Amino acid sequence: MKALVYHGKRDLRYEDFPDPRMGPGDVRLQVKSSGLCHTDFNEYLNGPLYVASTPHPRTGRSVPIVLGHEFSGEVIEIGPEVAGLRVGDRVAVNAVDCCRKCEFCRRGLFIQCRSAATIGFARDGGYADYAVVPADCCHILRPNVSFRAAALVEPLSVALHSVRKAKVEAGSRAAVVGGGTIGLCTLQALRACGVLDVYVIEKSPAKQRFAEELGASRFIHTEQSDPRQVILDLTGEMGVDFAFECVGSGSALETALSVTRPGGTICLSGVVPHAIQFDWNNVLSKEKTITTTIAYSDEFPIVIAMLNDGRLKAEGLITRTLPLREARGTLERFEELGSANIKMLIEMTS
Ligand SMILES: [Zn+2]
Ligand SMILES: [Zn+2]
């Protein structure tokens, strides 16, 4: 099969790759749509970070590895121990393949599984014609959810998980720092949870249209105005109840802290690749709460249901569609293309 394979830092290859072998609890998918993600670009530029560089204890896989952790497909083969899935089922893939046996898994803390193997990092992923994944990671799509939309179930699940972890309340006000894929997914999750106003803080004016179409009460362009002052004006000098950091930088965290009211909650969703400093006194003396999220737990079926009935939207986030053979060049130029794009999607033609 053809695949986009990660061989190491700045070494991505579009090449023939052996068809992955099936385990008894696995299914083989014909991949349909696969989202390009900043995390993959980060692997390309600075990795291996999440990609296994030594054999993973459970999957035995390491570089070279097929990237791709946001994807959908059709089931074309099922392992002998698989129950609940049939050939022909349309599915979205939860990328966290956990053991389901360790103490963390037993408590439902799947992300913290002692031997978690993320698909696309420690198992071959969705930048390929075919993918073999555990049946337990597959979630059947509802009728109104297309394969294209299903490739966004993963980032939407990250967003919904962050909103649930922050214990967001209906009627509250929130700010989202960062108007990229995760920021715009978080905006939608907040709207779906009954938040009264959501303010999106972003440096690229090209993101304004997307934020407004998806329900932002106000788009705050950081190069034209001071987000803290704008939000104080909008909230009667109080600040928002919840702020979501969806960039992954120290300055975005400072912005999130500065716009959150005393007693409010800041949720960190952006991955920061290095240690950062921030004003701890702003957290402590104002009794603010900080929560974090790295992935998701049981959000996949919820997101699929909310896409099905229209409470969440995926199509509006897809700004570029490309065939697999162009994925390498597109991923290598991810940052440059990023200011004008939200989600770039590989659509398999086979
Ligand atoms: Zn991703
Ligand atoms: Zn486990």
Side-chain angles (χ1 to χ4, degrees):
M1 65 173 187
K2 287 288 187 193
L4 181 65
V5 185
Y6 179 84
H7 285 260
K9 189 174 181 172
R10 291 183 185 268
D11 187 1
L12 281 173
R13 301 180 202 169
Y14 174 62
E15 61 189 2
D16 288 311
F17 198 77
D19 273 16
R21 282 209 307 270
M22 296 267 294
D26 291 338
V27 299
R28 188 183 306 278
L29 303 179
Q30 182 174 24
V31 178
K32 295 291 186 180
S33 288
S34 205
L36 297 184
C37 177
H38 192 270
T39 312
D40 298 318
F41 173 70
N42 208 19
E43 287 293 335
Y44 162 74
L45 206 62
N46 303 311
L49 302 165
Y50 293 108
V51 172
S53 46
T54 55
H56 184 274
R58 199 153 50 74
T59 67
R61 293 289 292 111
S62 60
V63 279
I65 219 151
V66 179
L67 294 180
H69 59 274
E70 307 175 358
F71 62 104
S72 61
E74 183 178 327
V75 176
I76 57 169
E77 186 183 351
I78 56 172
E81 291 175 11
V82 172
L85 279 176
R86 288 181 304 194
V87 168
D89 280 342
R90 303 158 64 249
V91 298
V93 178
N94 177 329
V96 182
D97 167 22
C98 53
C99 77
R100 290 168 203 274
K101 294 185 189 112
C102 73
E103 188 61 23
F104 287 102
C105 285
R106 278 205 296 269
R107 292 188 188 190
L109 299 166
F110 303 117
I111 308 166
Q112 306 303 339
C113 170
R114 292 234 180 252
S115 61
T118 309
I119 297 170
F121 299 101
R123 280 186 78 119
D124 293 306
Y127 294 165
D129 293 323
Y130 302 99
V132 166
V133 298
D136 287 338
C137 291
C138 292
H139 295 270
I140 296 178
L141 301 181
R142 294 190 183 214
N144 295 337
V145 183
S146 67
F147 284 124
R148 276 165 64 86
L152 277 104
V153 173
E154 204 264 5
L156 281 164
S157 294
V158 171
L160 185 62
H161 184 63
S162 71
V163 167
R164 294 171 90 199
K165 269 203 78 182
K167 296 189 166 52
V168 162
E169 291 161 7
S172 60
R173 286 181 290 210
V176 174
V177 185
T181 301
I182 295 295
L184 295 178
C185 288
T186 303
L187 158 65
Q188 293 194 64
L190 288 164
R191 279 295 192 197
C193 291
V195 168
L196 195 59
D197 283 312
V198 186
Y199 311 118
V200 174
I201 300 168
E202 160 66 42
K203 69 176 191 299
S204 164
K207 307 280 165 71
Q208 178 161 1
R209 174 170 67 86
F210 299 98
E212 286 174 352
E213 275 170 14
L214 293 168
S217 316
R218 179 74 77 92
F219 181 87
I220 303 168
H221 181 200
T222 51
E223 275 160 29
Q224 282 179 356
S225 46
D226 171 15
R228 177 179 146 77
Q229 196 53 56
V230 175
I231 284 184
L232 285 176
D233 291 346
L234 287 165
T235 56
E237 300 298 315
M238 206 162 135
V240 291
D241 306 298
F242 299 91
F244 292 79
E245 195 285 316
C246 303
V247 177
S249 76
S251 65
L253 170 57
E254 288 289 355
T255 302
L257 279 172
S258 76
V259 301
T260 304
R261 69 164 167 80
T265 297
I266 300 102
C267 182
L268 310 184
S269 304
V271 176
V272 187
H274 48 79
I276 52 169
Q277 290 190 316
F278 64 94
D279 182 1
W280 181 247
N281 201 41
N282 183 325
V283 179
L284 185 109
S285 65
K286 307 290 185 197
E287 292 199 335
K288 296 180 185 179
T289 300
I290 294 184
T291 66
T292 60
T293 180
I294 185 66
Y296 31 80
S297 53
D298 59 348
E299 280 81 13
F300 263 60
I302 305 170
V303 167
I304 291 169
M306 291 170 100
L307 281 168
N308 191 59
D309 67 19
R311 268 176 290 177
L312 294 175
K313 292 185 174 57
E315 277 295 334
L317 298 174
I318 302 167
T319 53
R320 190 186 182 103
T321 302
L322 50 133
L324 180 60
R325 67 176 180 281
E326 288 175 20
R328 179 186 153 198
T330 308
L331 205 54
E332 288 171 352
R333 292 168 56 223
F334 194 87
E335 203 116 274
E336 165 198 340
L337 296 167
S339 61
N341 278 287
I342 309 295
K343 180 53 72 184
M344 296 188 277
L345 200 69
I346 301 169
E347 281 208 283
M348 307 301 294
T349 43
S350 56

